[in-house]
Amino acid sequence: SNVEKKFPFYSFFSVPVVMLNNVFRASATSGNQDQEPTPQSNDGIEELQKEEVRKKRLAKVSSLATSTNESSEQSTVFSPKSVVEDSHRKMDVDSVGHISYPAQKSMKVANTTGHQSLNSTLMSPNSQKVDKEARSLNLHLEQSLLMTLRKEGASGQILYMGSETTNSNELVNASNMGELICSRLSGKSDVLNAMSYLYGCYKRILSKEVASTEKLRDDLINCRGQLVSFMASCLGCPDMFEMNSLNSVKDLFAILADDSSPTVGTMMKDLVQELDNQEFLTQVLDEMISICIRQLNPSASHAIGNPLANPAFRSVLDDFTPAMNVLKSLVRSDKRVCKEIANVSTFLCDSSLIELPTNMNINNIHPMMLRNPHFIETNGRKGVAVENKTFLGQLLRISPDPMDPKVTQLFQDSLKSPRSVMEGNILDLRKRVAMAQSTVSEILLALLKAGGVAKSNALAWLLQAISLNLESAKDHPSPMLAASPGFSINLGAVLLQLSRPVLQDAEKLLKVDIEYLTSKEGSQIFPADSTRLMTLLTTDSELPPSVASTKEFTFVTQTFFMCWKALHLGVVSQCNKYIQILRGLNHYHAGLATGDPHSLHYFVAKVIADSQLLAPDLLQDIVLFCSAASQRLLWALNADDNGNKTSTSWLVNKSDLSVQQRQFLLTLPEHLIDDLMTLLLFVARTSSSVLKTAPLNHTLSLIVYFLRRPWAVQSPHLRAKFGQVLLQVYLPVAARTHEELWSNAPSVDGPQTTLLEHHNESQRYLAPALLLLYGDVERTGFYEKLTNRRAIMVVLKHLWTLDTHRPAFRGIATVTTAAASTSSSASATPIADEDQGQGYFVRFANGLMNETNALVATTMDKLEEIKKVQLLMQNPAEWGRMNEEEKKQVTERHEANENECKGAAGLCLETLNMLNYLTSDSVIREPFLLDAILPRFTSTLLNVLLRLVGSKSLAIKVENMESYNFQPKVYLYEVCSAMAHFHDTPIFWTAVANDSFYNNGGPIRKAISTVRRLQLVAAEDFSKLEQLYENVQQARTNCVDMDAVIEDAPFEFMDPLLDTLMRDPVRLPTSKTIVDRATIAQHLLNTDTDPFNRQHLTIHMVEPVPELKQRITEWLESKRRPT
C-alpha cells in the first residue's frame, strides 16, 4: 500500500514497456524468490492472487522508475503528469488530431502523485476558474472513458469506480485516469476487450476536442496520448491485462477492418509513433501482416493421399475486405510501417521459385494435374510463384476465375433470373476486384513515397511481376509458368492507376526516357529477341549502340513502360481471346436452355471477361494511356525529323530518316504499336462512349505516320489494324455501313469522330496511304483480308465525301518522289520514281480487282445454293422424304450460306462503288490504263456484267433477295457508270475488245438494254455507255486473234508460268528465269519470293531484257492480221 501511495497506478504505464519486459524477464531467470514469475511461467501466476501480482509488478516498476530517475536527469521515461504540466511546450497537434511529442526524450518521471498536484492547484486563488475547467474535463472524461468517481455520476454505461482507486479526488483527470483504466481493464469490470475499449475512449475524446477551449483541448490531447500508450502496451505485452488483452493484435485488426473513418487514421499515426518508442513496432506489424496473409490465403483442405482432389477454391466471392482495409490503414499511418511491410519475407519472390526443379518436365505432367489449382499453386514457378507466393501477388489474384465453382454456380443460376440480377452480379464482382486493385495501388504508392528500401523493393516486385510472367503473352501459356489472367489484368490496372499523373501531364510525359527500351533494366521486360517493328530491314550495321547498363531511370520512365508491358501481358492478351469466347458462345448459344456444358462454359467465360475487361474505370484509363503513349511515340519519331521538313509527298522514303529515328524504329518492339491499336479497337467495339474521355488526335497522327511509311511496319496484320481503328474509332457512326460490335452498347459519336475532317495530316496524306494499304492487306490471309478491305473501303468512301480530302486521293496516282523501298537490298538497276509510284498503284488496283472477282463469285455461288434449298423446302414431297438428321444438316448449311452471302454481297457492293467513284476522277483514272492493270480491270467489269445479265442470271433470283444484301440493280448501275467514264479512251476500247469476256459484245448489249428499261443511269451517262459500245465494236475489227498467233510462237517468247506471250520480259536475279513483268508483278503481290527457288524477291529487283522484248515485238508485228 505504501508503494501504491507513492507511485499511483498510472505510473506503471509511464514506464516504457520494454523496461517492463526486462524486469519480467529478469524475474523469470533470477534465483531471487521475491521476484515476480513471468506471465509465461506455468506455476507462477497460478500460485499468486491477481491483486498480489499487481502489487509486485508495481513494486518492480517503482524501483525501476526510482533508479532511472536518480541515475540520469535526461531520462527518456514518459510521464503523463509531466506532459500535463508542459502540454504547450511538449505537445503539438496537427489538423487531424495527430499528437507529436517533440520534447519527449527530455521528460522525467514524476516524483509526486497526480492528485496531490491537482489538490494543491485547486486551493490557489484562481481555484474557481480551475475548478470549472476541472469539472468540464471531468465531464468529458466520464463520457469518454465511461467511468466516474462520483456516485451520482454513474448511469447505464458509465461505471462508478470510486472504490477501485486510492485517489480521494472525485474528478477524473489526466493524473488519475491511468489508474482508473488499469482498474477497469484488470478483470474486475465488464470490459472483455482492452483494445476495443481503449479505441472507443480514443474516438470519444477526439470528438470532444473540436468544440473545446484551448486549455481543455490540451488536456484532452494529453488524455488521448495516455490511451495510445495503453494501446501500445497491450499490443506489446498481450498478457498485461490477462484475458482482456491477450488478443490485442487481433482486436486491433478487427478495429481497422471494420472502421474506415478518419479517426482510425489519426489513431494509427499516434499508435505507430508510440509502438516505435516502445520498440514494439516490428513485432506488432509482423503479427498484423501474418493475420492479413492468412485471411488472403486460407489453407486449402484436400484429401490426404489424393493429389487430384479438389481443394477448397479461394473464390473472389470470399470476403477479403477485412484484410484489405487493415492493409490500407497500415500504409496510410506512417512511412515506418511501409518500410516494415517492404521487408516482409514474402514481399519479393524467392529465387528458388523462379525455375522449375530439374526433375520436373512440364511436357510430362498429366493434363489433369495442370487443371488442379492446388497442384499449380504448390509447384508453379515464375509468374505462378509471384501470384501465389508473394504478399502483393495474393492480393492481385483476387479476380473471377472460370474454374471457381462459386462463380460458375452464381452465373448459371442467374440464367433463370431477370437480366438485372445478372448485371448486379457483374457489378458486385467488379467492386470486389476494384477494391483489390485500389489496395495494391495504395500500398505500392505508399511504399514508393516512403523511399529507401521500401521504394526499391516496390519497384523490384513490379519488375518481378512482369519479367517472370512473360509466358502470359503466348497464345497458349503454360499454367505452370504463367500467372492467371485475372492477376495480369489487375497488375495492368494497378500500374495504370500509378501512371495517371504521367498520363495527364504533358511535361511529365516528356520525361519518359525512350532509351529504357534498350537498357539493361528494360531488357528484363522487353527481351532482345522480341519481334521488332522493322525486323526485315534490320542489319548488323543498323543496330543502335547498347545503352550503358549503369544508367538509372526515373520512376516516371519505369512505371510508364512497366504499365505498357503489363497491359500487353494482361488486358491485351485477354482482348484477343474475347472474340474467341464470343464465337464459341455464338456457336453453342442454343444449348444454354438445356444446360449444355459447352454452352455454359462459354457463357461463364463471357460474363467473367465482361466483369474484368469492361469496368468503366479500367477502360477510361486504357484510352488515356493510348493517347499519352501515342503522343510520346510521336515525339520520339519526329525528333530531328528531316523527312517531315522536306517532303510534301504522302509517301516518305526511308532515306529521309535521321539517325535517331532509324535507331528508335529498329529497337521499337512491334507489340507496343499493336497493343495501342488492339486496346482502342476493343474499347470502340464494347464501350465506344468511353473514347470521348481522352483526346485521340495524337493516335490519329501516329496512324498516318506509319501509313505514310509502309516499310516501317513489316507486319501486314498490324498495318491492317490501322484501317480497323480508323473505321471503329474515327469514323462518324452514320458513315459506318459496317462495323463489328462486341456488346449491346450502341456506338456513339464523340470528339474523335470529327478529327478526320479537320486533321491536317489526314487531309494531306491519309487517302492515298489507305489506297496503298488496300493492296497490302492481301497478305493478311483469305478471310482476314475481306474484313480488312471492307473497313478500308468504308473509310475511303467517307473521305471521298469530304471536300478537304478529295485532292489527296490523286496522291497515289501522281506520286513521283519519296517512294519507299520495300527491301533491305538495293536494286541492281535503279528504278525510276515514277515506276515505283506505279508499282504502289498496281498493288492497290490488283487488290481491288481480286476482291471484286472473289466477292462476285462468292455472292453468285451462294445465291445459287440458297435458291436450290428454297426450292427443296417448297417441295413438300421431296422435303418430307428426308429424315430429321438430313433436314438438320441441310438447314445448318443453308444458314451458313445465307450468312456468307450477306457478308460477301455487302462487301461486293462497296467494292464496285469504289471502282465507280475512283474512276470518276480523270487523274485517278489514268493509272487504271497501265499495262499491268488494264487487262484485269476490263475482265473484272465484263465478268460482273456477264453474271448480272448473262444466261445464268436467272439462277440467282432468290426469295427475299434484299435480306442477303444483294442488290443487282445497284450492282449494274455501279459497273455501267464505271465503264462510261472511259467512253472516250481508245486504249480502253481495245482492251475490252480483246478481253475473253467480251463475247462479241453480248454482255454490254444486254446491260444497255436493262439499264434503258429500268432507267438506272442519267441520260448523259447512258449516252456515254452507248458511245463506248460503238467504239469497242469498231476496235474489235482491228484486233489480232492472239490464240491463233501464239500457236507457232517460239518457246522463248512464252511466259513459263502462264504459257502466254510475253510483252515485257524480265529476268529474275536469283533463279535467272525470264518471265513476263505482269506475271511476276501479280505473283509478288501475294508473296515476296522467287516462284522458282523461293528466294527473296521484289519487283524492283527484276532485270529488264530489252533484246528479247524487241524480238517479240518484231515477231508479233509480222504475225498481225485482222480477226
Side-chain angles (χ1 to χ4, degrees), residues 97-159:
H98 173 219
I99 306 171
S100 59
Y101 304 97
Q104 181 175 334
K105 292 188 177 181
S106 63
M107 297 179 186
K108 302 179 181 179
V109 177
N111 293 322
T112 58
T113 61
H115 67 274
Q116 291 174 341
S117 175
L118 180 61
N119 289 339
S120 63
T121 304
L122 292 175
M123 292 184 291
S124 65
N126 297 324
S127 60
Q128 291 183 352
K129 180 178 179 181
V130 175
D131 183 65
K132 182 178 179 181
E133 293 176 351
R135 292 185 181 280
S136 297
L137 177 62
N138 171 74
L139 182 61
H140 286 325
L141 291 180
E142 284 181 347
Q143 296 172 351
S144 299
L145 303 178
L146 303 181
M147 293 186 292
T148 181
L149 296 177
R150 302 177 296 111
K151 291 184 178 180
E152 65 275 14
S155 62
Q157 289 187 343
I158 301 178
L159 185 67

Side-chain angles (χ1 to χ4, degrees), residues 561-594:
F561 283 109
M562 285 194 289
C563 178
W564 207 330
K565 189 66 175 186
L567 289 174
H568 173 71
L569 299 177
V571 178
V572 173
S573 177
Q574 296 309 305
C575 287
N576 291 330
K577 295 177 182 177
Y578 192 81
I579 183 60
Q580 301 175 12
I581 297 175
L582 292 180
R583 290 170 179 168
L585 182 60
N586 182 62
H587 181 72
Y588 290 106
H589 73 279
L592 289 175
T594 59

